[in-house]
Amino acid sequence: MTDSATDKSTLDKYEQHYFSSYDHFGIHEEMLKDTSRTLSYRNAMYRNKDAFKNKIVLDVGCGTGILSMFAVKAGAKHVYSVDMSSIIGKAREIVELNGFSDRITLLQGKLEDIKLPVDSVDIIISEWMGYFLLYESMLDTVLYARDKYLVKGGLILPDKCQMYIAGIEDGQYKEEKIHYWEDVYGFDYSPFIKTAMEEPLVDTVNKQALVTNSFKFFEFDINTVKKEELSFKRKFELLATEDEMCHAYIVYWDAIFPGKERVTLPTGPMHQYTHWKQTVFYMDQVLDLKQGDLIYGEIFARPSTVNPREYDIDLKWDLQTESNDVSRNQKGEYKYFLR
């Protein structure tokens, strides 16, 4: 078997695992009960009904069909709803039960492998976002749909994304998660420390844990972004807001919807809970911050060469104190793997 054939087989395995993870109703229950997520989509459509009136809509990764039904209620003429997972069977039952079978067509399969009954659509809606925004996301498929089916001047919901980074104090949890391995029932399990450090934690961070401002380090417009631009290197600058220890960085994001009345879906710790939570990157050191100190950093993120739905992330930082006290200046870097 050739290397390319092996790579394709491996990728097919990863793809099957990704799509099958959405077969179970539990993950859809979690997303539906995420009111910040679900109501943001509904508000973006209901508050901009003029944009949906008599339009043809494509729902990429429709799941249980909630966004498709929102689109119809907002005035769409017809919605074509595509999903690879077997949950689409339940979506068909739900669509029929709610009386939308004549205006919603459900298609099972990978969008790149099927042919829609129409040559073009006016609007694309998709809840494609993942942890760290891009981890295990369906954005590649949305871009494919944009290039193949969206009419010139058509809408994509959401259409703009912004990613932020901030520093947090998290000594107690870091002790429990990282230093725990130094003494496990009297045994040294420290080889696990590297593994625990390399895998970012997805968790809900209390806004009181923030010890710096937030910095917007990456943004893009889904109407124009190219796939290769989703591998990026960006600098950031964080200002210490108090005298405190900094144990980790968090990354969160906002998704913004088009329309006369724009709607934003935020995922930061200062906003309502979402199932995306925040992504936490523990440092292999502790930064001793004084109010006014500056952290100059760089984040390098790119899809894994093994599985493009996963992300490899490098973080570098350089703490420079307001008083220029060289003894407190700290530099560091670490590699992380979102798997």
Short mmCIF file of all heavy atoms in Angstrom, two decimals, residues 171-220:
data_model
loop_
_atom_site.label_atom_id
_atom_site.label_comp_id
_atom_site.label_asym_id
_atom_site.label_seq_id
_atom_site.Cartn_x
_atom_site.Cartn_y
_atom_site.Cartn_z
N GLY A 171 -3.75 28.66 40.38
CA GLY A 171 -2.78 27.84 41.10
C GLY A 171 -3.36 26.58 41.68
O GLY A 171 -2.74 25.50 41.60
N GLN A 172 -4.55 26.66 42.28
CA GLN A 172 -5.13 25.48 42.93
C GLN A 172 -5.42 24.37 41.92
O GLN A 172 -5.08 23.21 42.14
CB GLN A 172 -6.41 25.85 43.68
CG GLN A 172 -7.03 24.67 44.42
CD GLN A 172 -8.27 25.07 45.21
OE1 GLN A 172 -8.53 26.24 45.42
NE2 GLN A 172 -9.04 24.07 45.63
N TYR A 173 -6.03 24.75 40.79
CA TYR A 173 -6.37 23.73 39.82
C TYR A 173 -5.13 23.18 39.14
O TYR A 173 -5.05 21.99 38.83
CB TYR A 173 -7.36 24.27 38.77
CG TYR A 173 -8.12 23.17 38.08
CD1 TYR A 173 -9.30 22.67 38.61
CD2 TYR A 173 -7.64 22.60 36.90
CE1 TYR A 173 -9.99 21.65 37.99
CE2 TYR A 173 -8.32 21.58 36.27
CZ TYR A 173 -9.50 21.11 36.83
OH TYR A 173 -10.17 20.09 36.20
N LYS A 174 -4.13 24.05 38.91
CA LYS A 174 -2.88 23.58 38.31
C LYS A 174 -2.21 22.56 39.24
O LYS A 174 -1.65 21.56 38.80
CB LYS A 174 -1.94 24.74 38.04
CG LYS A 174 -0.65 24.32 37.33
CD LYS A 174 0.26 25.50 37.03
CE LYS A 174 1.54 25.04 36.34
NZ LYS A 174 2.47 26.16 36.08
N GLU A 175 -2.29 22.82 40.54
CA GLU A 175 -1.74 21.89 41.53
C GLU A 175 -2.44 20.54 41.41
O GLU A 175 -1.79 19.48 41.42
CB GLU A 175 -1.92 22.47 42.93
CG GLU A 175 -1.35 21.60 44.04
CD GLU A 175 0.17 21.60 44.09
OE1 GLU A 175 0.78 22.59 43.66
OE2 GLU A 175 0.74 20.59 44.57
N GLU A 176 -3.76 20.57 41.27
CA GLU A 176 -4.54 19.33 41.19
C GLU A 176 -4.30 18.59 39.88
O GLU A 176 -4.27 17.36 39.85
CB GLU A 176 -6.03 19.64 41.35
CG GLU A 176 -6.41 20.21 42.71
CD GLU A 176 -7.84 20.68 42.76
OE1 GLU A 176 -8.54 20.56 41.73
OE2 GLU A 176 -8.27 21.18 43.82
N LYS A 177 -4.15 19.34 38.79
CA LYS A 177 -4.06 18.71 37.47
C LYS A 177 -2.63 18.32 37.10
O LYS A 177 -2.41 17.26 36.54
CB LYS A 177 -4.61 19.66 36.41
CG LYS A 177 -4.50 19.10 34.98
CD LYS A 177 -5.14 20.02 33.98
CE LYS A 177 -4.85 19.56 32.55
NZ LYS A 177 -5.30 18.20 32.27
N ILE A 178 -1.65 19.18 37.42
CA ILE A 178 -0.28 18.97 36.98
C ILE A 178 0.58 18.34 38.08
O ILE A 178 1.18 17.27 37.90
CB ILE A 178 0.36 20.29 36.51
CG1 ILE A 178 -0.53 20.97 35.44
CG2 ILE A 178 1.75 20.03 35.97
CD1 ILE A 178 -0.73 20.17 34.18
N HIS A 179 0.64 18.99 39.23
CA HIS A 179 1.54 18.53 40.29
C HIS A 179 1.05 17.27 40.99
O HIS A 179 1.81 16.62 41.71
CB HIS A 179 1.77 19.66 41.29
CG HIS A 179 2.45 20.86 40.69
ND1 HIS A 179 3.73 20.81 40.19
CD2 HIS A 179 2.01 22.12 40.47
CE1 HIS A 179 4.06 21.99 39.71
NE2 HIS A 179 3.03 22.81 39.87
N TYR A 180 -0.20 16.92 40.77
CA TYR A 180 -0.74 15.67 41.32
C TYR A 180 0.15 14.48 40.98
O TYR A 180 0.35 13.57 41.79
CB TYR A 180 -2.15 15.45 40.76
CG TYR A 180 -2.66 14.04 40.94
CD1 TYR A 180 -3.19 13.62 42.15
CD2 TYR A 180 -2.63 13.12 39.88
CE1 TYR A 180 -3.65 12.31 42.32
CE2 TYR A 180 -3.09 11.83 40.03
CZ TYR A 180 -3.59 11.43 41.26
OH TYR A 180 -4.05 10.15 41.42
N TRP A 181 0.72 14.49 39.77
CA TRP A 181 1.47 13.34 39.28
C TRP A 181 2.82 13.16 39.98
O TRP A 181 3.47 12.13 39.81
CB TRP A 181 1.68 13.46 37.77
CG TRP A 181 0.39 13.50 37.02
CD1 TRP A 181 -0.17 14.59 36.42
CD2 TRP A 181 -0.53 12.43 36.83
NE1 TRP A 181 -1.39 14.26 35.85
CE2 TRP A 181 -1.63 12.94 36.09
CE3 TRP A 181 -0.53 11.09 37.21
CZ2 TRP A 181 -2.71 12.14 35.73
CZ3 TRP A 181 -1.62 10.29 36.85
CH2 TRP A 181 -2.68 10.81 36.12
N GLU A 182 3.23 14.14 40.76
CA GLU A 182 4.51 14.02 41.46
C GLU A 182 4.45 13.01 42.61
O GLU A 182 5.47 12.45 43.01
CB GLU A 182 4.94 15.40 41.98
CG GLU A 182 5.23 16.39 40.86
CD GLU A 182 5.44 17.80 41.39
OE1 GLU A 182 5.25 18.01 42.62
OE2 GLU A 182 5.75 18.71 40.58
N ASP A 183 3.24 12.80 43.14
CA ASP A 183 3.08 11.87 44.26
C ASP A 183 1.71 11.23 44.20
O ASP A 183 0.72 11.80 44.64
CB ASP A 183 3.26 12.61 45.60
CG ASP A 183 3.15 11.67 46.80
OD1 ASP A 183 2.93 10.46 46.61
OD2 ASP A 183 3.26 12.17 47.94
N VAL A 184 1.63 10.04 43.60
CA VAL A 184 0.37 9.31 43.46
C VAL A 184 0.41 8.12 44.41
O VAL A 184 1.07 7.11 44.13
CB VAL A 184 0.16 8.86 41.99
CG1 VAL A 184 -1.17 8.12 41.85
CG2 VAL A 184 0.20 10.07 41.06
N TYR A 185 -0.24 8.28 45.54
CA TYR A 185 -0.24 7.23 46.57
C TYR A 185 1.19 6.82 46.94
O TYR A 185 1.48 5.64 47.14
CB TYR A 185 -1.06 6.03 46.13
CG TYR A 185 -2.50 6.37 45.83
CD1 TYR A 185 -2.93 6.52 44.52
CD2 TYR A 185 -3.43 6.55 46.86
CE1 TYR A 185 -4.25 6.85 44.23
CE2 TYR A 185 -4.74 6.89 46.58
CZ TYR A 185 -5.15 7.05 45.27
OH TYR A 185 -6.45 7.38 44.99
N GLY A 186 2.07 7.82 47.00
CA GLY A 186 3.44 7.56 47.40
C GLY A 186 4.38 7.20 46.27
O GLY A 186 5.57 6.97 46.50
N PHE A 187 3.86 7.15 45.02
CA PHE A 187 4.70 6.80 43.87
C PHE A 187 4.89 8.01 42.96
O PHE A 187 4.02 8.88 42.85
CB PHE A 187 4.08 5.64 43.07
CG PHE A 187 3.93 4.38 43.86
CD1 PHE A 187 2.70 4.00 44.38
CD2 PHE A 187 5.03 3.56 44.11
CE1 PHE A 187 2.55 2.84 45.11
CE2 PHE A 187 4.89 2.40 44.83
CZ PHE A 187 3.65 2.03 45.35
N ASP A 188 6.04 8.04 42.29
CA ASP A 188 6.37 9.14 41.38
C ASP A 188 5.80 8.84 40.00
O ASP A 188 6.27 7.94 39.31
CB ASP A 188 7.90 9.29 41.31
CG ASP A 188 8.31 10.51 40.48
OD1 ASP A 188 7.44 11.09 39.81
OD2 ASP A 188 9.50 10.86 40.51
N TYR A 189 4.77 9.57 39.61
CA TYR A 189 4.13 9.42 38.30
C TYR A 189 4.48 10.61 37.38
O TYR A 189 3.73 10.93 36.46
CB TYR A 189 2.61 9.35 38.47
CG TYR A 189 2.06 7.95 38.62
CD1 TYR A 189 2.49 7.11 39.64
CD2 TYR A 189 1.11 7.46 37.73
CE1 TYR A 189 1.98 5.83 39.78
CE2 TYR A 189 0.58 6.18 37.86
CZ TYR A 189 1.02 5.37 38.89
OH TYR A 189 0.50 4.10 39.03
N SER A 190 5.60 11.25 37.65
CA SER A 190 5.94 12.48 36.93
C SER A 190 6.01 12.35 35.41
O SER A 190 5.87 13.37 34.72
CB SER A 190 7.24 13.07 37.47
OG SER A 190 8.30 12.13 37.38
N PRO A 191 6.23 11.16 34.81
CA PRO A 191 6.18 11.09 33.35
C PRO A 191 4.85 11.58 32.76
O PRO A 191 4.80 11.94 31.59
CB PRO A 191 6.41 9.61 33.06
CG PRO A 191 7.28 9.15 34.18
CD PRO A 191 6.75 9.88 35.38
N PHE A 192 3.78 11.56 33.59
CA PHE A 192 2.49 12.03 33.09
C PHE A 192 2.40 13.55 33.04
O PHE A 192 1.49 14.11 32.42
CB PHE A 192 1.35 11.50 33.96
CG PHE A 192 0.85 10.15 33.54
CD1 PHE A 192 0.97 9.05 34.38
CD2 PHE A 192 0.23 9.97 32.31
CE1 PHE A 192 0.51 7.81 34.00
CE2 PHE A 192 -0.24 8.72 31.92
CZ PHE A 192 -0.10 7.63 32.76
N ILE A 193 3.33 14.24 33.71
CA ILE A 193 3.25 15.70 33.76
C ILE A 193 3.35 16.29 32.36
O ILE A 193 2.59 17.20 31.99
CB ILE A 193 4.34 16.26 34.69
CG1 ILE A 193 4.03 15.91 36.14
CG2 ILE A 193 4.46 17.78 34.52
CD1 ILE A 193 5.06 16.38 37.14
N LYS A 194 4.30 15.79 31.56
CA LYS A 194 4.47 16.31 30.20
C LYS A 194 3.18 16.14 29.39
O LYS A 194 2.75 17.05 28.67
CB LYS A 194 5.63 15.62 29.51
CG LYS A 194 5.98 16.19 28.14
CD LYS A 194 7.25 15.54 27.59
CE LYS A 194 7.69 16.20 26.29
NZ LYS A 194 6.75 15.95 25.19
N THR A 195 2.56 14.96 29.52
CA THR A 195 1.31 14.70 28.80
C THR A 195 0.21 15.66 29.25
O THR A 195 -0.52 16.23 28.43
CB THR A 195 0.85 13.25 29.02
OG1 THR A 195 1.89 12.36 28.59
CG2 THR A 195 -0.42 12.96 28.26
N ALA A 196 0.09 15.84 30.57
CA ALA A 196 -0.94 16.73 31.10
C ALA A 196 -0.71 18.17 30.68
O ALA A 196 -1.66 18.92 30.44
CB ALA A 196 -0.98 16.62 32.63
N MET A 197 0.54 18.58 30.59
CA MET A 197 0.86 19.94 30.19
C MET A 197 0.58 20.18 28.71
O MET A 197 0.13 21.25 28.31
CB MET A 197 2.34 20.23 30.48
CG MET A 197 2.66 20.49 31.92
SD MET A 197 2.06 22.11 32.47
CE MET A 197 2.95 23.21 31.38
N GLU A 198 0.86 19.18 27.89
CA GLU A 198 0.75 19.35 26.43
C GLU A 198 -0.69 19.41 25.94
O GLU A 198 -0.95 19.92 24.86
CB GLU A 198 1.48 18.22 25.71
CG GLU A 198 2.99 18.31 25.79
CD GLU A 198 3.67 17.14 25.11
OE1 GLU A 198 3.00 16.11 24.87
OE2 GLU A 198 4.87 17.24 24.82
N GLU A 199 -1.61 18.86 26.71
CA GLU A 199 -3.01 18.82 26.29
C GLU A 199 -3.77 19.97 26.94
O GLU A 199 -4.03 19.93 28.14
CB GLU A 199 -3.64 17.48 26.64
CG GLU A 199 -3.03 16.30 25.90
CD GLU A 199 -3.75 15.00 26.20
OE1 GLU A 199 -4.76 15.02 26.93
OE2 GLU A 199 -3.28 13.96 25.70
N PRO A 200 -4.13 21.00 26.17
CA PRO A 200 -4.89 22.11 26.75
C PRO A 200 -6.18 21.60 27.38
O PRO A 200 -6.80 20.64 26.92
CB PRO A 200 -5.17 23.01 25.55
CG PRO A 200 -4.11 22.65 24.56
CD PRO A 200 -3.86 21.20 24.75
N LEU A 201 -6.60 22.27 28.43
CA LEU A 201 -7.80 21.90 29.16
C LEU A 201 -8.97 22.72 28.64
O LEU A 201 -8.85 23.93 28.45
CB LEU A 201 -7.59 22.18 30.65
CG LEU A 201 -8.75 21.86 31.60
CD1 LEU A 201 -8.95 20.35 31.70
CD2 LEU A 201 -8.47 22.47 32.97
N VAL A 202 -10.09 22.08 28.38
CA VAL A 202 -11.32 22.80 28.02
C VAL A 202 -12.19 22.84 29.26
O VAL A 202 -12.66 21.80 29.74
CB VAL A 202 -12.05 22.11 26.85
CG1 VAL A 202 -13.38 22.81 26.57
CG2 VAL A 202 -11.18 22.11 25.59
N ASP A 203 -12.37 24.04 29.81
CA ASP A 203 -13.09 24.14 31.07
C ASP A 203 -13.68 25.54 31.21
O ASP A 203 -13.30 26.47 30.49
CB ASP A 203 -12.14 23.86 32.24
CG ASP A 203 -12.88 23.41 33.50
OD1 ASP A 203 -14.13 23.36 33.48
OD2 ASP A 203 -12.21 23.12 34.50
N THR A 204 -14.62 25.68 32.15
CA THR A 204 -15.22 26.97 32.44
C THR A 204 -14.32 27.73 33.41
O THR A 204 -14.04 27.25 34.51
CB THR A 204 -16.62 26.79 33.06
OG1 THR A 204 -17.44 26.04 32.15
CG2 THR A 204 -17.26 28.14 33.33
N VAL A 205 -13.89 28.89 33.00
CA VAL A 205 -13.01 29.73 33.81
C VAL A 205 -13.83 30.84 34.45
O VAL A 205 -14.63 31.51 33.78
CB VAL A 205 -11.88 30.32 32.95
CG1 VAL A 205 -11.04 31.30 33.76
CG2 VAL A 205 -11.01 29.22 32.38
N ASN A 206 -13.64 31.03 35.76
CA ASN A 206 -14.32 32.11 36.46
C ASN A 206 -13.71 33.45 36.05
O ASN A 206 -12.49 33.59 35.99
CB ASN A 206 -14.18 31.90 37.97
CG ASN A 206 -15.08 32.81 38.77
OD1 ASN A 206 -15.11 34.02 38.56
ND2 ASN A 206 -15.83 32.23 39.70
N LYS A 207 -14.55 34.42 35.77
CA LYS A 207 -14.01 35.71 35.32
C LYS A 207 -13.12 36.36 36.37
O LYS A 207 -12.25 37.17 36.04
CB LYS A 207 -15.16 36.66 34.93
CG LYS A 207 -16.08 37.07 36.06
CD LYS A 207 -17.19 37.98 35.55
CE LYS A 207 -18.13 38.39 36.67
NZ LYS A 207 -19.22 39.26 36.17
N GLN A 208 -13.31 36.00 37.64
CA GLN A 208 -12.45 36.54 38.70
C GLN A 208 -11.01 36.03 38.58
O GLN A 208 -10.10 36.58 39.21
CB GLN A 208 -13.01 36.19 40.07
CG GLN A 208 -14.05 37.16 40.61
CD GLN A 208 -15.41 37.00 39.90
OE1 GLN A 208 -15.83 35.87 39.64
NE2 GLN A 208 -16.05 38.10 39.60
N ALA A 209 -10.81 34.97 37.80
CA ALA A 209 -9.46 34.42 37.64
C ALA A 209 -8.61 35.23 36.68
O ALA A 209 -7.39 35.07 36.63
CB ALA A 209 -9.55 32.97 37.15
N LEU A 210 -9.23 36.12 35.91
CA LEU A 210 -8.49 36.93 34.94
C LEU A 210 -7.53 37.88 35.66
O LEU A 210 -7.93 38.60 36.58
CB LEU A 210 -9.45 37.74 34.07
CG LEU A 210 -10.32 36.94 33.09
CD1 LEU A 210 -11.41 37.82 32.51
CD2 LEU A 210 -9.48 36.33 31.98
N VAL A 211 -6.27 37.90 35.25
CA VAL A 211 -5.28 38.79 35.86
C VAL A 211 -4.64 39.72 34.83
O VAL A 211 -3.73 40.47 35.15
CB VAL A 211 -4.19 37.99 36.61
CG1 VAL A 211 -4.79 37.26 37.80
CG2 VAL A 211 -3.47 37.01 35.68
N THR A 212 -5.11 39.64 33.59
CA THR A 212 -4.67 40.56 32.53
C THR A 212 -5.89 41.00 31.75
O THR A 212 -6.99 40.47 31.92
CB THR A 212 -3.68 39.89 31.55
OG1 THR A 212 -4.39 38.99 30.69
CG2 THR A 212 -2.57 39.15 32.27
N ASN A 213 -5.68 41.96 30.86
CA ASN A 213 -6.73 42.28 29.90
C ASN A 213 -6.80 41.16 28.86
O ASN A 213 -5.99 40.24 28.86
CB ASN A 213 -6.43 43.62 29.22
CG ASN A 213 -5.17 43.56 28.35
OD1 ASN A 213 -4.24 42.81 28.63
ND2 ASN A 213 -5.14 44.36 27.30
N SER A 214 -7.78 41.24 27.99
CA SER A 214 -7.89 40.30 26.87
C SER A 214 -7.35 40.97 25.61
O SER A 214 -7.48 42.18 25.43
CB SER A 214 -9.35 39.89 26.64
OG SER A 214 -9.84 39.16 27.75
N PHE A 215 -6.75 40.16 24.75
CA PHE A 215 -6.14 40.68 23.53
C PHE A 215 -6.69 39.91 22.33
O PHE A 215 -6.63 38.67 22.30
CB PHE A 215 -4.62 40.54 23.58
CG PHE A 215 -3.90 41.20 22.43
CD1 PHE A 215 -3.44 42.50 22.53
CD2 PHE A 215 -3.67 40.50 21.24
CE1 PHE A 215 -2.76 43.10 21.47
CE2 PHE A 215 -3.01 41.09 20.18
CZ PHE A 215 -2.55 42.39 20.29
N LYS A 216 -7.24 40.63 21.36
CA LYS A 216 -7.73 40.00 20.13
C LYS A 216 -6.54 39.72 19.22
O LYS A 216 -5.92 40.64 18.70
CB LYS A 216 -8.74 40.89 19.42
CG LYS A 216 -9.31 40.30 18.15
CD LYS A 216 -10.47 41.12 17.61
CE LYS A 216 -10.03 42.51 17.19
NZ LYS A 216 -11.14 43.29 16.59
N PHE A 217 -6.21 38.43 19.04
CA PHE A 217 -5.00 38.10 18.28
C PHE A 217 -5.27 37.58 16.88
O PHE A 217 -4.35 37.48 16.06
CB PHE A 217 -4.14 37.09 19.05
CG PHE A 217 -4.78 35.74 19.24
CD1 PHE A 217 -4.64 34.74 18.30
CD2 PHE A 217 -5.52 35.46 20.39
CE1 PHE A 217 -5.21 33.48 18.47
CE2 PHE A 217 -6.09 34.20 20.58
CZ PHE A 217 -5.94 33.22 19.62
N PHE A 218 -6.53 37.21 16.58
CA PHE A 218 -6.81 36.67 15.25
C PHE A 218 -8.27 36.91 14.93
O PHE A 218 -9.15 36.74 15.77
CB PHE A 218 -6.51 35.16 15.22
CG PHE A 218 -6.64 34.52 13.86
CD1 PHE A 218 -5.96 35.03 12.76
CD2 PHE A 218 -7.43 33.40 13.67
CE1 PHE A 218 -6.06 34.44 11.50
CE2 PHE A 218 -7.53 32.79 12.42
CZ PHE A 218 -6.84 33.32 11.34
N GLU A 219 -8.54 37.36 13.72
CA GLU A 219 -9.92 37.52 13.25
C GLU A 219 -9.96 37.24 11.75
O GLU A 219 -8.97 37.41 11.05
CB GLU A 219 -10.46 38.91 13.57
CG GLU A 219 -9.71 40.06 12.96
CD GLU A 219 -10.29 41.41 13.38
OE1 GLU A 219 -11.51 41.50 13.60
OE2 GLU A 219 -9.51 42.38 13.52
N PHE A 220 -11.12 36.79 11.29
CA PHE A 220 -11.25 36.53 9.87
C PHE A 220 -12.71 36.64 9.44
O PHE A 220 -13.63 36.56 10.27
CB PHE A 220 -10.69 35.15 9.49
CG PHE A 220 -11.30 33.99 10.23
CD1 PHE A 220 -12.42 33.33 9.76
CD2 PHE A 220 -10.72 33.54 11.41
CE1 PHE A 220 -12.97 32.25 10.43
CE2 PHE A 220 -11.26 32.47 12.10
CZ PHE A 220 -12.39 31.82 11.61
#
